[in-house]
Amino acid sequence: MKRSVFQLIVFLCICLLPTIAEAQQDVSLTFRFVTKNTKEGYDHVSKLIVYSDDEQIGESTEKLQSKPNSVTVKTPKGKHKIKAILYALYNGTWEPRTIANEYSFDFEYSKTGNWEVNNTISLTFDIEQTMVHIKEKVPVVADDED
């Protein structure tokens, strides 16, 4: 009986080891975001799209921009350029909220750094102040590439 239990434990460890090792090589990034000072009639349906090294790794649900929202993504540990861009549904088309698209400022977060631990990043897109307020639970040292 003891031998059977031992064999079962060894078998489970061998089966679960790749999953455990893979999970330890990723970090979770949670983005919490909201848009402040939205003018009446301009509360667009929005979503945040997150990229790692210019590859999309996730997107939030769609909500009015004035409603708090969040998205959690995984990226491998190590040096990466993480970018999160707020998109608005405008005339039936999703477009990034950037100066290039005639918005008052770029509604985005971008940082290249060494991502080693799970992190929560809070973004407040403030239309009145035309800026993004950023709060990181674990500060990430940015590289000079941005």
Side-chain angles (χ1 to χ4, degrees), residues 30-99:
T30 298
F31 287 87
R32 300 181 193 277
F33 61 98
V34 67
T35 302
K36 284 179 50 177
N37 300 311
T38 298
K39 293 181 182 178
E40 190 174 330
Y42 292 93
D43 199 2
H44 300 290
V45 173
S46 298
K47 64 182 175 181
L48 192 75
I49 299 181
V50 182
Y51 302 86
S52 178
D53 301 323
D54 298 320
E55 295 289 325
Q56 183 176 334
I57 57 173
E59 66 182 60
S60 71
T61 57
E62 302 168 11
K63 286 188 180 181
L64 290 175
Q65 69 187 30
S66 62
K67 304 293 181 196
N69 203 348
S70 67
V71 59
T72 299
V73 296
K74 290 190 181 289
T75 193
K77 284 184 177 182
K79 182 180 174 183
H80 299 286
K81 179 179 183 179
I82 301 297
K83 185 180 276 192
I85 303 172
L86 190 67
Y87 281 70
L89 185 59
Y90 185 72
N91 290 333
T93 303
W94 286 103
E95 65 180 20
R97 295 195 63 166
T98 60
I99 292 172

Side-chain angles (χ1 to χ4, degrees), residues 57 124 137 141:
I57 57 173
T124 302
K137 182 176 179 185
V141 177

